[in-house]
Amino acid sequence: MLFLGCVQLENELDLKLVSFSKLCTSYSSSRDGHRGDTSDTTPLLNNSTQDRMFDTMSVEIEQLLAKLTAVNDKMAEYTNTPGTASLNAALMHTLQRHRDILQDYTHEFHKTKGNFLAIREREDLLGSVRKDIETYKSGSGVNNRRTELFLKEHEHLRNSDRLMDDTISIAMATKENMTSQRGILKSIQSRVNTLANRFPTINNLIQRINLRKRRDSLILGSVIGVCTILLLLYAFH
């Protein structure tokens, strides 16, 4: 009866260990598949589910290993009971075989569990580093945009200052030119007045010339006016 229970536990443990190994493999694969993904929502949900399954299966396997150990201990006690001397060699061989199976299952469980924990610890560390890098890049991007805006604004202010300086320079040059021309005109006018005062004949001649220009202008204006009126009368006749 003990040997039958031992075999049943070994079969159950074998199935559990196979499922446990597949769980650890799928955990590693899902981590690798989402390593390049910047979105953390789906990977976190999947890995959280796998973590819960890992904890549950670990407890179940540990309980089965404990039961199998207890059964092996009872079988060892049974082989030492009186009346089993004739069967002692066969029983010891069978017991040793079950102990080897228990040792193999225990070793496989601890190895798989250790690999799973190492993968999870490594991926958690890498995930933390990736988040820190993304945070740093995000902050650097904001700072770079702000710096770029400040540089553009500074360049705009410098261009405005340069334009104002150029405008002021042009205004000053224009003012100096106009002042110089006004001085020249005053000098010419002063010389003309001096000449007119010194030579009255020239002054009279200039006045006559001006009067004749005015008269000629009046005559020419009158002729043009009369011709225009005649043309209008002819056109509407």
Side-chain angles (χ1 to χ4, degrees):
M1 189 68 179
L2 288 175
F3 291 101
L4 181 59
C6 184
V7 172
Q8 290 177 349
L9 287 173
E10 288 172 352
N11 292 334
E12 188 175 355
L13 259 173
D14 184 64
L15 294 175
K16 287 287 185 182
L17 288 172
V18 171
S19 300
F20 190 67
S21 179
K22 290 182 179 179
L23 173 65
C24 295
T25 303
S26 64
Y27 182 87
S28 177
S29 299
S30 65
R31 286 283 189 167
D32 293 336
H34 294 292
R35 182 170 295 175
D37 190 2
T38 56
S39 177
D40 294 334
T41 303
T42 303
L44 286 176
L45 290 175
N46 290 338
N47 291 330
S48 177
T49 302
Q50 289 178 329
D51 288 338
R52 289 195 297 270
M53 293 178 63
F54 170 80
D55 294 334
T56 301
M57 293 185 69
S58 295
V59 172
E60 292 176 352
I61 292 173
E62 288 174 351
Q63 291 176 351
L64 289 174
L65 287 172
K67 290 181 180 180
L68 186 59
T69 301
V71 171
N72 275 273
D73 293 339
K74 289 182 179 180
M75 286 192 300
E77 294 177 358
Y78 175 75
T79 57
N80 294 325
T81 58
T84 60
S86 60
L87 302 176
N88 192 28
L91 291 175
M92 290 299 296
H93 176 74
T94 303
L95 177 61
Q96 185 61 41
R97 184 172 62 84
H98 287 296
R99 283 179 175 177
D100 292 338
I101 293 174
L102 173 61
Q103 184 177 1
D104 291 339
Y105 284 164
T106 304
H107 176 73
E108 182 180 353
F109 169 70
H110 289 299
K111 180 180 178 181
T112 305
K113 183 178 180 181
N115 291 337
F116 181 91
L117 294 176
I119 293 172
R120 185 169 65 182
E121 182 178 359
R122 182 191 65 187
E123 294 299 332
D124 289 342
L125 179 60
L126 291 175
S128 178
V129 172
R130 284 196 296 270
K131 287 181 181 179
D132 292 339
I133 292 174
E134 291 296 330
T135 303
Y136 174 77
K137 288 182 178 179
S138 178
S140 298
V142 173
N143 292 331
N144 290 335
R145 286 193 294 272
R146 290 178 179 176
T147 303
E148 185 178 356
L149 290 176
F150 289 151
L151 291 175
K152 288 183 179 179
E153 185 66 21
H154 179 66
E155 185 65 22
H156 178 70
L157 292 175
R158 288 184 60 187
N159 292 334
S160 298
D161 292 339
R162 191 181 300 112
L163 181 61
M164 290 179 65
D165 292 338
D166 293 341
T167 303
I168 293 173
S169 298
I170 294 172
M172 294 296 294
T174 304
K175 180 181 178 182
E176 292 177 357
N177 190 13
M178 292 180 66
T179 302
S180 177
Q181 289 180 2
R182 185 174 61 181
I184 293 171
L185 291 174
K186 284 184 178 181
S187 178
I188 294 172
Q189 184 179 3
S190 178
R191 290 179 182 181
V192 171
N193 291 333
T194 300
L195 290 174
N197 291 329
R198 286 184 180 180
F199 303 98
T201 305
I202 296 175
N203 188 16
N204 292 331
L205 181 61
I206 292 173
Q207 290 180 357
R208 289 178 183 178
I209 291 172
N210 291 330
L211 289 174
R212 183 170 292 180
K213 285 183 178 181
R214 292 177 182 177
R215 186 185 63 184
D216 293 342
S217 298
L218 291 174
I219 293 171
L220 182 60
S222 299
V223 172
I224 293 173
V226 172
C227 292
T228 302
I229 292 172
L230 292 175
L231 289 172
L232 290 175
L233 291 174
Y234 179 77
F236 290 101
H237 181 65

